[in-house]
Amino acid sequence: MQVLKEDGVFLVLGDHGDISSAAEGVYRDDTRLLSRWSWACTDLKILSVQPINDTLHQYGALVGVNRSQVVGLSRTLVATSAGFSDTWSLENTSAETRVVTLQLDVEGEFRDLFSVWSETSADGDRTVTRDVTSSGAVLSRQTSDGRRLSASIVLQPVTGDVVVDGLLITATLSPGARASLVASVTFDSTERRPLATPLPDYLSWRNSFDLHSEQSDHQKVIERAIDDLRMLLLGTEHGPYPAAGLPWFSCIFGRDAIITAQMLLPWRSDIARSVLLLLAANQGQRHDPFREEEPGKILHEVRLGELSRLNRVPFGRYYGSVDATPLYVGLLDAYVAATGDQDLLIALRPAWEGAVQWLMTKNADASDLISFEPSGSGLAVQSWKDSADSMNHEDGAPAEPPLSVAEVQGYAFAAFEAAARFYSLLGEPASADTCRSRAQRLAADVQRRFWLDDLDLYAMALDRHGAPLRVAASDSGHLLWSGIVPSDQAPRLVARLMEPDLWTGWGVRTLGDGARRFNPVSYHNGSVWPHDTALMAGGLARYGFREEARTVALALFDLAATQPLHRMPELISGFARQPRLDPVAYVHACKPQAWSAAGLLYAARAAGLA
């Protein structure tokens, strides 16, 4: 799979640079606009396919009887914020006149991404109108909610003897002659889009990162992570915003963007600022069980597709995460500490106070623990391990909600501590004391109710009865990152996290391999997530475990170095590292993924590797 992206448009291509099957396609606004884009050229041999961010470079040849090239065909496919261009350059390297034909096979679909993902037709009638012109085609569809989506395709000769007839191109090349042509695709919709600030160009983006390594493989990994983070940016009216990942998560997320922005603070504080402003502008205002919206709650996800617009799924503006809200307050705290921008702290006071007030009310019992109980409209698990089967007891039985998940308590602790600092800066000591007291009570509750002395770990969660999930899991690494772990207990916890049931050599498992529900090829029951591992590295560094942090960061470098294009994936399968063997991929991992790429840079800095 090859991926190109610029702003909201992205292309998922097959290995040879075409679009013909499975999840391949051209996407925008959570909609697959084109489901096929393929060029037919008799006897063309593809020799090279190289994707670079928004551009695909391809080279192919027509060969003669002696297997030497007779015509060379160079292709450049470029994604833009409005569509894409596909340029072909041809050169006759033989001693005879050659006639080359290129036939474009294109299909419009205009299908909601959730329908593509689930392989259903839940978005109803998808009749596509197809009008072939003398130099291209116009494909369009009227959606169920009245929007008209269209793709305008124009084929144009640029140089040489090239004839266009609809979607067929014929080039006549005398010996040594060259010719070129371009297919331009523009997408349109009757929806008005808000004006967005321009995205930074790749060169200025790269120059803002001062990360370098003397090891060539490590340097390639760093450069790829930096470019992937630029590729994933979305233009918004509040500034550049990191999409979560491709192909399924090129949209506004709360949790993912907050963590990505915090990891990038040493280099790009503008990303944190954009994230803070956009999420504040979309903060929960009312009680809406369908969207899981509540006053003060921070967004989980925004989808723009047809199913979301029709409310057939709740994700048009969805608030079903328990952790985005405390993480928001923590990001603002980290941003103010990094930049000294107290003006933003004051401007966003309604947002962070609303978030803190929401946290004050989210306990399932008389304790100070933060919990969630899903409404049933969307996600069943609303912490970061959000697959429906991720929360289980030692015997494998599913935990009953409401659930109090370990790392969420750490995030909330950090948020209350941050709010205490905010109020102190604003000269309001009584409010600061209230938040500080809540943080201290929460820390005591976590220590009393989550710590499993016989396992040297914190329970992954507590169920509705307050019973701990007595399984080895990666969540304790997040507690180190948040600072809620007592210093005298940290050595036991760190040693436990590095034991082989959790530590694979590539990263930390989401669930230990001795657990009843362990499955190395699962989303959250034993897989390895780079961002999860990177947060653990940050926690190790925070508590002074420099060698362990270095081990973790080096493992992430090694993992990325094994991947195509040195690109860090969303997750890998949770098998133990073996000499001379690469890690086992996960079935549907996104590549690239924002918090995976950012996590590598964050871990490298935390461990002093770059």
Side-chain angles (χ1 to χ4, degrees), residues 283 294-297 325-326 329 349-363 370 415-416 419 423 434-435 438:
Q283 192 170 18
E294 296 171 7
K297 200 174 183 184
T325 305
V329 181
R349 180 166 182 167
W352 61 259
E353 280 194 323
V356 170
Q357 184 58 41
W358 182 84
L359 287 170
M360 292 283 190
T361 66
K362 291 313 294 178
N363 52 338
I370 310 300
F416 287 127
Y423 283 121
T434 297
C435 291
R438 181 65 183 265

Side-chain angles (χ1 to χ4, degrees), residues 179-308:
S180 61
L181 55 107
V182 61
S184 301
V185 182
T186 304
F187 300 121
D188 198 9
S189 168
T190 53
E191 175 201 14
R192 289 190 174 184
R193 303 171 65 85
L195 291 175
T197 56
L199 296 178
D201 63 80
Y202 274 91
L203 181 59
S204 63
W205 176 263
R206 292 167 186 151
N207 288 341
S208 61
F209 290 84
D210 59 353
L211 280 165
H212 304 282
S213 174
E214 294 180 1
Q215 296 189 40
S216 60
D217 275 357
H218 289 188
Q219 186 60 29
K220 290 177 183 177
V221 164
I222 290 169
E223 291 172 358
R224 168 52 58 192
I226 291 170
D227 273 12
D228 280 352
L229 286 159
R230 165 55 184 84
M231 182 204 288
L232 287 167
L233 292 181
L234 298 170
T236 78
E237 63 269 37
H238 300 285
Y241 195 102
L246 299 176
W248 306 119
F249 304 120
S250 182
C251 63
I252 299 298
F253 270 86
R255 175 198 302 129
D256 298 57
I258 291 168
I259 289 177
T260 297
Q262 188 157 343
M263 288 173 165
L264 293 182
L265 263 175
W267 308 282
R268 298 291 311 207
S269 62
D270 60 323
I271 302 302
R273 182 181 178 87
S274 299
V275 169
L276 290 164
L277 289 169
L278 187 147
L279 293 177
N282 292 276
Q283 192 170 18
Q285 300 297 319
R286 60 195 178 99
H287 291 277
D288 181 349
F290 178 66
R291 300 185 184 279
E292 314 248 21
E293 180 180 1
E294 296 171 7
K297 200 174 183 184
I298 295 297
L299 268 174
H300 174 65
E301 180 177 0
V302 175
R303 294 288 188 171
L304 303 175
E306 187 173 355
L307 295 179
S308 296

Side-chain angles (χ1 to χ4, degrees), residues 1 12-14 18-27 32 34-36 109 111 113 115-119 247-248 588:
M1 182 180 76
V12 181
L13 309 168
D18 57 356
I19 294 169
S20 58
S21 64
E24 295 167 7
V26 185
Y27 294 80
R32 182 160 70 177
L34 301 182
S35 57
R36 180 174 290 275
E109 186 179 46
R111 182 182 183 188
L113 180 140
S115 180
V116 176
W117 190 356
S118 61
E119 299 181 350
W248 306 119
H588 294 299

Side-chain angles (χ1 to χ4, degrees), residues 3 79 97 111 129 169 175 267 273 275 293 332 343 352 421 479 488 501 538 552 568 579 597:
V3 180
T97 297
R111 182 182 183 188
T129 301
I169 294 169
W267 308 282
R273 182 181 178 87
V275 169
E293 180 180 1
L332 180 59
D343 290 342
W352 61 259
R421 285 188 285 274
L479 294 178
D488 60 355
D501 65 326
V552 171
M568 187 69 90

